[in-house]
Amino acid sequence: MSGKSIFDKVWERHVVHGQLGEPQLMYVDQHYIHEVTSPQAFSGLKEAGRRLRRPDLTFGTFDHNVPTVNIYDIRDVISKAQMDTLARNVYEFGIDHASHGSQKQGIVHMVGPETGRTQPGKFIVCGDSHTATHGAFGAIAFGIGTSEVEHVFATQCLWQVKPKKLLVRFEGRPQKGVYAKDYILALIAQHGVACGVGHAVEYQGEAIEALSMEERMTICNMSVEFGSKMGIMNPDQTTYDYLKDKECVPQAFEAAVADWKTLVSDPDAQYDKVITIDVSTLAPMVTWGTNPSMGVSFDQPFPEIRDMNDERAYNYMDMAPGQHVGDIEIGYVFIGSCTNARLSDLMLAAEFVKGKQIAENLTAIVVPGSRPVKQAAEALGLDKVFMEAGFEWRDPGCSMCLGMNPDKVPEGVHCASTSNRNFEDRQGFGAKTHLCSPAMAAAAAIHGRFVDVRELV
């Protein structure tokens, strides 16, 4: 009899009803909510006269619409309504939350791990596709739609068909100047944005084991851009050390760890598909087009036009086949988002900025992903490093990742961004987004164009 993967083990723990191969009713351990996808779900709950089944397993954050210059100056009518509605609902239904302007405020996928709510073995959902981030802890975590948010509100359960399993092994040791963001961008560039469709992706290998929890979250975060709504990793000592003494971890922590240690993939676990990448062959990655698979390593030319999607992407980005990453003139730099706004990301970026000045005619902003990260960074003097170099140092929020708040890239301007999506108009109407690591974004701010950070380390 073949062994089981961590995904199998966690899935089986949460089946309430149903047979394998058909929709199964799954129990939800942790439901994260934010201001954008929860209002209609709360309204449906009220109209049906239902109560919230488990407010104690629900946690709210304010992040997508939050301004990062003056967090209380919310001028967009829809944004203000969404935030006010969530504020009313969390109080009405007795939901714990990181209130707007509080010491815990931040992006939902950062606040969950920081408070210790995200733990190995949990089944986690949120009305946001990048919920896959939490899989770095050995949890099944994925984004859901607004109607599903209401279903979880009412029942604490969700109907799901178990997906296939895809194993991605990252082996080897990276060159200096190559980081976790480059791993996931390289995977997507090599295998496409649809490779993970219908699969839960498990990440293994010595290159994964060597990463910090923050780096692991970066990889799981972009599982969605790989086509899968779920990414998962085996918990290990790095995981337990990160969670120890966090606010919401079990009081019987050692007993919890003993259980978590059983939630790892067996050596003979079976997978429907296996991909292996040797990270020692990777170089810094940058996207040239309008989906995350349209990326190249620093020393590769942009590809020839293969189809109408490439042609449209080149036209939108005002780029051409045969050009190189170093040819892109950068006008904006964004260091932030649920992909790369953790303390280690800011520390990495600061290494390439300290004692230097950003290029002329360039705007660069740093947006910590949460208030605790902002305060920790300021305690290390990182705010001064960035501001002295000409960066703007902002308050926490989703910011320029998605253009749902005042932070937007001007039309026609190329932006080096540490976020997760480079779709047309994603960061503002006509914005031209290039995804990259915090190191590459920081170096681009100084030079006004992308440079090979391997030569700067």
Side-chain angles (χ1 to χ4, degrees), residues 35 73 99 140 187 191 225 233 251 297 362-363 368 370 455:
E35 76 274 20
D73 185 19
S99 59
I140 290 178
L187 174 68
H191 295 277
E225 280 67 47
M233 296 177 179
Q251 289 188 343
S297 60
L362 183 145
T363 299
S370 70
E455 298 177 0

Side-chain angles (χ1 to χ4, degrees), residues 9-25:
K9 294 178 181 182
V10 178
W11 184 276
E12 289 172 3
R13 284 191 176 193
H14 293 84
V15 176
V16 177
H17 179 75
Q19 301 300 313
L20 196 62
E22 62 184 37
Q24 293 176 292
L25 190 63

Side-chain angles (χ1 to χ4, degrees), residues 115-130:
T115 58
R117 287 178 170 83
T118 298
Q119 299 167 20
K122 282 194 172 185
F123 197 99
I124 300 171
V125 298
C126 173
D128 185 280
S129 60
H130 290 105

Side-chain angles (χ1 to χ4, degrees), residues 395-408:
D395 271 312
C398 289
S399 184
M400 200 176 282
C401 174
L402 77 168
M404 197 178 281
N405 52 70
D407 299 349
K408 295 179 177 64

Side-chain angles (χ1 to χ4, degrees), residues 321-398:
Q323 287 186 290
H324 285 76
V325 168
D327 297 329
I328 304 169
E329 292 188 11
I330 301 299
Y332 253 70
V333 170
F334 169 56
I335 298 175
S337 86
C338 62
T339 315
N340 282 125
R342 300 174 183 88
L343 182 61
S344 60
D345 298 315
L346 306 189
M347 293 171 66
L348 175 61
E351 292 178 17
F352 294 87
V353 168
K354 189 172 184 179
K356 302 179 177 66
Q357 286 290 311
I358 64 173
E360 292 184 9
N361 303 316
L362 183 145
T363 299
I365 71 172
V366 180
V367 186
S370 70
R371 187 88 41 201
V373 167
K374 183 174 190 285
Q375 292 173 341
E378 290 172 349
L380 294 173
L382 300 187
D383 57 326
K384 295 182 176 60
V385 169
F386 286 115
M387 289 190 290
E388 288 171 1
F391 281 78
E392 297 177 26
W393 179 253
R394 300 288 188 85
D395 271 312
C398 289

Side-chain angles (χ1 to χ4, degrees), residues 166 168 170 183-199 201 203 222-229 273 275 277 285 287-288 290-296 306-307 309-310 420 422-423:
L166 191 164
V168 176
F170 286 107
Y183 294 8
I184 190 65
L185 286 175
L187 174 68
I188 299 168
Q190 291 176 24
H191 295 277
V193 294
C195 186
V197 171
H199 295 77
V201 182
Y203 301 98
M222 291 190 67
S223 299
V224 184
E225 280 67 47
F226 184 53
S228 172
K229 65 181 183 180
K273 191 188 303 185
I275 293 172
I277 291 181
M285 296 290 298
T287 59
W288 59 266
T290 52
N291 77 51
S293 72
M294 295 176 174
V296 295
R306 297 157 294 188
D307 53 37
N309 292 324
D310 284 354
N420 42 51
N422 55 336
F423 302 155

Side-chain angles (χ1 to χ4, degrees), residues 72-391:
Y72 299 110
D73 185 19
I74 308 168
R75 301 183 181 183
D76 183 82
V77 175
I78 296 176
S79 295
K80 183 71 164 59
Q82 288 178 334
M83 293 183 67
D84 288 346
T85 300
L86 178 59
R88 288 194 302 269
N89 283 326
V90 292
Y91 281 110
E92 180 178 344
F93 287 91
I95 298 170
D96 193 9
H97 60 284
S99 59
H100 185 45
S102 71
Q103 291 303 301
K104 294 180 184 177
Q105 181 191 335
I107 304 172
V108 61
H109 309 309
M110 290 186 57
V111 177
E114 286 173 354
T115 58
R117 287 178 170 83
T118 298
Q119 299 167 20
K122 282 194 172 185
F123 197 99
I124 300 171
V125 298
C126 173
D128 185 280
S129 60
H130 290 105
T131 306
T133 306
H134 306 268
F137 289 80
I140 290 178
F142 56 95
I144 58 178
T146 297
S147 61
E148 293 174 306
V149 171
E150 183 182 347
H151 195 283
V152 177
F153 278 164
T155 68
Q156 203 57 32
C157 293
L158 193 66
W159 289 99
Q160 290 285 299
V161 175
K162 187 180 180 183
K164 295 179 180 179
K165 292 171 292 180
L166 191 164
L167 175 63
V168 176
R169 296 192 60 86
F170 286 107
E171 301 290 1
R173 298 179 62 182
Q175 304 176 63
K176 290 184 178 180
V178 175
Y179 305 97
K181 184 66 166 288
D182 299 306
Y183 294 8
I184 190 65
L185 286 175
L187 174 68
I188 299 168
Q190 291 176 24
H191 295 277
V193 294
C195 186
V197 171
H199 295 77
V201 182
E202 179 181 339
Y203 301 98
Q204 285 189 21
E206 61 178 326
I208 294 296
E209 294 167 5
L211 297 177
S212 68
M213 287 310 303
E214 299 196 341
E215 293 169 315
R216 295 177 190 186
M217 283 187 265
T218 292
I219 291 176
C220 280
N221 175 274
M222 291 190 67
S223 299
V224 184
E225 280 67 47
F226 184 53
S228 172
K229 65 181 183 180
M230 310 173 195
I232 194 167
M233 296 177 179
N234 289 307
D236 58 14
Q237 193 60 47
T238 300
T239 316
Y240 316 142
D241 290 344
Y242 177 95
L243 288 171
K244 188 175 176 60
D245 300 325
K246 289 285 192 292
E247 174 190 354
C248 296
V249 297
Q251 289 188 343
F253 186 72
E254 295 306 321
V257 170
D259 178 53
W260 296 341
K261 286 182 177 179
T262 68
L263 297 175
V264 295
S265 295
D266 297 329
D268 57 345
Q270 299 296 303
Y271 299 88
D272 297 283
K273 191 188 303 185
V274 179
I275 293 172
T276 301
I277 291 181
D278 181 356
V279 302
S280 68
T281 66
L282 300 183
M285 296 290 298
V286 177
T287 59
W288 59 266
T290 52
N291 77 51
S293 72
M294 295 176 174
V296 295
S297 60
F298 184 85
D299 33 27
Q300 283 183 317
F302 298 163
E304 294 300 316
I305 294 175
R306 297 157 294 188
D307 53 37
M308 61 184 297
N309 292 324
D310 284 354
E311 183 175 13
R312 174 171 176 160
Y314 276 123
N315 288 337
Y316 179 85
M317 296 297 290
D318 194 23
M319 307 301 298
Q323 287 186 290
H324 285 76
V325 168
D327 297 329
I328 304 169
E329 292 188 11
I330 301 299
Y332 253 70
V333 170
F334 169 56
I335 298 175
S337 86
C338 62
T339 315
N340 282 125
R342 300 174 183 88
L343 182 61
S344 60
D345 298 315
L346 306 189
M347 293 171 66
L348 175 61
E351 292 178 17
F352 294 87
V353 168
K354 189 172 184 179
K356 302 179 177 66
Q357 286 290 311
I358 64 173
E360 292 184 9
N361 303 316
L362 183 145
T363 299
I365 71 172
V366 180
V367 186
S370 70
R371 187 88 41 201
V373 167
K374 183 174 190 285
Q375 292 173 341
E378 290 172 349
L380 294 173
L382 300 187
D383 57 326
K384 295 182 176 60
V385 169
F386 286 115
M387 289 190 290
E388 288 171 1
F391 281 78

